[in-house]
Amino acid sequence: MRGRDRDVRSETVLRETREAYERLRTYSILAVQAGAAAGLSWFIADDVLHNSQALFAPAASIGTIAAALGNRIRRAAELVAGVIVGVLTGQLIIEVIGSGPIQTALIVAFAISSAAVIRGSGAVMVHAGSTAVLLGTLYAEQSGLALARTVNGLIGGLTAIVVALLILPANPVRVVHRSAGPTLDIFARDLTAIAQALAQRDVQQAEEALQRLVAGEEERNKSIEMVAAAAEIAVLSPWRWRRLKTLRQYQQASQHLQFAYSHSRELAHWAVSAVRHREPVPASLPASIEHLGQAVRLLHRDFVARREPHLARARAQQAIEEVNRACAEHVGFRGMVLVSRLRLAISEMLQASGAPKAEANQQSGLAADAG
C-alpha cells in the first residue's frame, strides 16, 4: 500500500512539474516583452522627452503587457481612459475642496463611480482610482502630476503595443500549441478514465473523473483565451500575417472542442449514474469513449504536425462504430442518455477536424439539424 501511495505521489509531482514547465514556456514571452517595453518606455519618457514622473511609463507598459497575451490595444485604451477619468474627477474635487485624507477618499469614490457611469471595465476603474489616490495625496507637492501621468501612461501603453506586435511578437501558432496541448491531453486522459471506470463498474473512479472534468473548466477557458489572443497577434502583427489562416482554423476547432468537452462532462455524469445504479453496460460503450479520447489526442498531434487530421477522424469513426454496436445490445435509460452525449461529443470532434456540421452529425448518428 505504501509503495502504491509513493507511486501516486511521484506521478503527481512529475505531472505538476511538467505543467509548471509548460506554463513557463507559454508565458516566458510575456517576461521578455514586459522587460523590453519597460526599458524602452522609460528611455522615451525620461531620456528623450524628459518628462516628470517618468516611472508611470514603464508601469503602464508592464500593465499592458502582463494583463494578457491578447487584447493589448484594449488594455492600453483602458489604462489611458482610467487615468483620464481619474485626472478629471480628481482635479475637479481638489479645485473645490482642496487635498487631504478626507478629500482623497472622496476623490477615489467619485473617480470609480464616474468610471462605472461611463460603463468602464474593471481595469478602467482601477486606473481611475489609483490616479485619484495619487492626485489626492501628492497634489500639493506635484502640481503637474495629472498631465505627467496621462502622457506617460500613453507612452507606456503605446510602447507596449509596439513591442508586443512589431518588435517582439509572439509566435501565435507556438502559443496555441503550448497552451492547448496540455489541456487536450488532460481532457483525453479523463475520457480514458471514464471508459475504464465504466468497464470496471468502478463508481469512485468515475466520480473522480467527473470531478476532474468539472475542475478543468477553468483551464479550458484559459486555453480558449490563449487561442483568441494568438489570433489577435496574427491579425495585428504584420510579421505574423502568414499564420492567420492557421489560427482561424484553430479558433474554429477550439469552439467545437469546447462543446465536445461540455458534452463529455455530461457523459461522465451519466456514466457515474449508470455504474451506481448497476445498469448493463456493453463492452463496446467504454471502448467508444476510449476511442474518442484517442481521437482528441491525435487531433492535437495532427495540428502540431500541420497535416490533415486523417488519423483523428479514423479514430472518431471507430468510436462511432463502437457506440452503434453498443446500441444494438441492451442499454438502460442512463446508458441511452450517455450515448446521446457521446454522439454529440464525437460530432463536435469531427467538426473540430474540419468536417462540415451536417456530415459530422450524420456520421455520428445524429439528426441532420442536431448539434
Side-chain angles (χ1 to χ4, degrees), residues 276-354:
R276 182 177 290 126
H277 289 83
R278 299 184 179 181
E279 280 194 357
V281 177
S284 51
L285 188 52
S288 178
I289 299 172
E290 171 66 22
H291 285 316
L292 174 60
Q294 293 171 359
V296 170
R297 286 191 184 93
L298 289 170
L299 181 63
H300 176 64
R301 292 173 188 172
D302 288 337
F303 277 155
V304 171
R306 299 182 189 177
R307 64 190 177 214
E308 274 296 306
H310 297 304
L311 294 175
R313 290 173 188 159
R315 199 57 55 89
Q317 189 61 45
Q318 286 182 294
I320 294 169
E321 292 171 2
E322 293 289 355
V323 75
N324 289 341
R325 190 175 295 115
C327 289
E329 303 179 40
H330 180 63
V331 179
F333 168 74
R334 294 169 182 83
M336 288 305 298
V337 180
L338 189 158
V339 164
S340 68
R341 291 296 177 180
L342 178 56
R343 291 188 187 279
L344 287 167
I346 295 172
S347 175
E348 294 295 346
M349 198 341 262
L350 286 170
Q351 292 178 68
S353 73

Side-chain angles (χ1 to χ4, degrees), residues 32-34 36-38 40 65 158-169:
V32 176
Q33 289 176 342
L40 183 58
I65 291 285
L158 291 176
T159 302
I161 292 172
V162 170
V163 168
L165 298 179
L166 297 178
I167 299 177
L168 292 172

Side-chain angles (χ1 to χ4, degrees), residues 9-155:
R9 286 196 297 270
S10 298
E11 183 181 348
T12 301
V13 170
L14 287 173
R15 185 174 67 252
E16 291 178 351
T17 301
R18 285 195 299 268
E19 291 174 357
Y21 174 68
E22 290 299 330
R23 286 195 300 271
L24 178 62
R25 291 179 65 196
T26 299
Y27 291 100
S28 59
I29 185 64
L30 289 179
V32 176
Q33 289 176 342
L40 183 58
S41 60
W42 173 270
F43 172 75
I44 294 172
D46 188 57
D47 295 347
V48 176
L49 300 179
H50 304 292
N51 289 345
S52 60
Q53 302 296 327
L55 181 62
F56 288 135
S61 66
I62 293 170
T64 304
I65 291 285
L69 271 173
N71 298 320
R72 292 279 169 67
I73 294 179
R74 192 191 74 186
R75 298 288 182 181
E78 288 177 342
L79 186 149
V80 175
V83 169
I84 292 174
V85 170
V87 166
L88 293 177
T89 56
Q91 193 81 17
L92 177 63
I93 292 179
I94 288 173
E95 291 293 337
V96 175
I97 62 176
S99 60
I102 296 177
Q103 290 90 332
T104 298
L106 292 174
I107 290 170
V108 171
F110 190 66
I112 293 178
S113 299
S114 299
V117 168
I118 64 172
R119 296 184 179 182
S121 66
V124 174
M125 294 182 189
V126 168
H127 291 302
S130 61
T131 299
V133 167
L134 290 170
L135 283 174
T137 56
L138 300 178
Y139 183 79
E141 303 170 3
Q142 304 283 348
S143 58
L145 180 64
L147 179 60
R149 188 174 188 200
T150 303
V151 172
N152 290 322
L154 185 60
I155 290 172

Side-chain angles (χ1 to χ4, degrees), residues 87-262:
V87 166
L88 293 177
T89 56
Q91 193 81 17
L92 177 63
I93 292 179
I94 288 173
E95 291 293 337
V96 175
I97 62 176
S99 60
I102 296 177
Q103 290 90 332
T104 298
L106 292 174
I107 290 170
V108 171
F110 190 66
I112 293 178
S113 299
S114 299
V117 168
I118 64 172
R119 296 184 179 182
S121 66
V124 174
M125 294 182 189
V126 168
H127 291 302
S130 61
T131 299
V133 167
L134 290 170
L135 283 174
T137 56
L138 300 178
Y139 183 79
E141 303 170 3
Q142 304 283 348
S143 58
L145 180 64
L147 179 60
R149 188 174 188 200
T150 303
V151 172
N152 290 322
L154 185 60
I155 290 172
L158 291 176
T159 302
I161 292 172
V162 170
V163 168
L165 298 179
L166 297 178
I167 299 177
L168 292 172
N171 184 327
V173 174
R174 190 175 300 160
V175 168
V176 171
H177 289 170
R178 290 178 177 176
S179 63
T183 304
L184 292 178
D185 282 341
I186 293 171
F187 179 22
R189 187 180 65 206
D190 290 337
L191 285 171
T192 298
I194 293 167
Q196 292 174 348
L198 203 57
Q200 299 168 8
R201 309 296 199 274
D202 190 329
V203 177
Q204 182 178 352
Q205 186 179 359
E207 289 178 339
E208 289 173 354
L210 173 60
Q211 290 171 2
R212 287 194 299 270
L213 280 169
V214 172
E217 181 68 22
E218 183 178 352
E219 287 301 318
R220 287 290 311 157
N221 291 334
K222 287 181 181 178
S223 179
I224 292 174
E225 290 175 2
M226 294 295 280
V227 173
E232 180 186 83
I233 295 171
V235 169
L236 297 177
S237 176
W239 320 128
R240 304 302 187 192
W241 282 346
R242 66 184 184 278
R243 307 289 190 186
L244 188 55
K245 181 179 178 181
T246 302
L247 263 297
R248 284 176 175 163
Q249 292 174 342
Y250 282 143
Q251 277 188 302
Q252 182 180 4
S254 177
Q255 293 172 357
H256 290 296
L257 286 172
Q258 179 66 5
F259 289 135
Y261 181 87
S262 299

